[in-house]
Amino acid sequence: MRQLPLIDDIWTQVCNINNIHQAYQNAAKGKRSRPDVAEFSFNLESELWVLREQLVNFTYFPGNYRQFEIYDKKARIISVAPFRDRVIHHALMNILEPLIDKQFINHSYACRKGKGVHQAVDYYQEQSKKYAYVLKMDIQRYFPSINHFVLKKQIANLLGTGNTFDLLCAIIDNGKANAQESVGLPIGNLTSQILANLYLNDLDRKLVATPNISYLRYVDDLFILGNSKNQLWSSKLLVDNTLKALKLRLHKNKSHIFLTKEKVDVLGYKVTPAKRWLRNQNGYRMQRKLLTLKNNYSKGALTTTELKQRIASWIGHASHGETWQLRKRLFENIVFSRST
């Protein structure tokens, strides 16, 4: 991995008060009414200068996470850092993300500007017209299994060691999955998203260099397309061996080869070379969500603007598939009104 230039200048840029103020703007976007954000914002100037002084004097330490569980196909623990820590995460990534992102392959689609689920599905569908088969794989317990020693070595190879490296290490250590082992990145952190992409970058590069296949990744979902089943299984062996060095492993029940001409489950859609559909549970989930939105709007817990934004977001996602009848069915009988 190529070490980045101007390493000595990175820490100065991270600690610049203008960068920290921009980090606050990024972290507070859409969240200014939340109590912790409002409290920080009330004394904004002094809070930002305190953060800067703590960075410069090496007295900054991350706080404790607030955790909660969500269920989206499977249970996930979401970790929310204190707001002041989220400002620091943004201050770091304002400078580091553009530099680190240049190391990544084009077809890693998660948590990157200009990419995302829809671009990943577009690329899969384009490649499915060229290849007969796709090997789908899923890394088992990806975020909780990321090894801190391996990750820190990758960061040191890329950035070198120094103040920026030390701050990243403090954030990594603070988010370990349990007190006994140095593993795990908290789901929900901006830093976790970018470091999780870095952790698999060597694997990505090995696969894009393999001839006669096409490859894409979205977080821990891996897709390899080819015209030979034998070559796809050989590619899986490469994945297994590379993940072993990273202290990871594939989910043993989620590595399968499918015909691309059939409906293949790709990141929330059922996809063929010509069409795509939302998975059934996505429609059921939105039906339940609409009832919750209706109740919250009725009680005044949701503004009209927030309601429109949430509905528009789902419609935007759904419109990338064959969903006209689904959307019509979901919205034709629901009415949003305030309680009197």
Side-chain angles (χ1 to χ4, degrees), residues 39-41 43-52 84:
E39 182 180 356
F40 188 98
S41 303
N43 298 301
L44 180 59
E45 186 174 352
S46 62
E47 292 280 10
L48 295 180
W49 278 105
V50 166
L51 281 181
R52 182 187 180 278
R84 66 191 308 276

Side-chain angles (χ1 to χ4, degrees), residues 171-191:
I171 293 170
I172 292 167
D173 291 339
N174 190 54
K176 61 185 178 181
N178 60 68
Q180 287 72 41
E181 297 181 78
S182 292
V183 296
L185 292 181
I187 298 173
N189 267 6
L190 173 66
T191 49

Side-chain angles (χ1 to χ4, degrees), residues 30 46 50 56 71 77 96 100 117 160 162 167 194 240 264-265 299 301 308 324 331 338:
S46 62
V50 166
V56 170
Y71 192 88
I77 301 296
L96 290 182
I100 295 175
V117 167
L167 178 57
I194 295 163
D240 284 329
V264 178
D265 193 342
K299 293 183 292 187
K308 289 179 178 179
W324 168 246
F331 290 103
R338 299 289 194 193

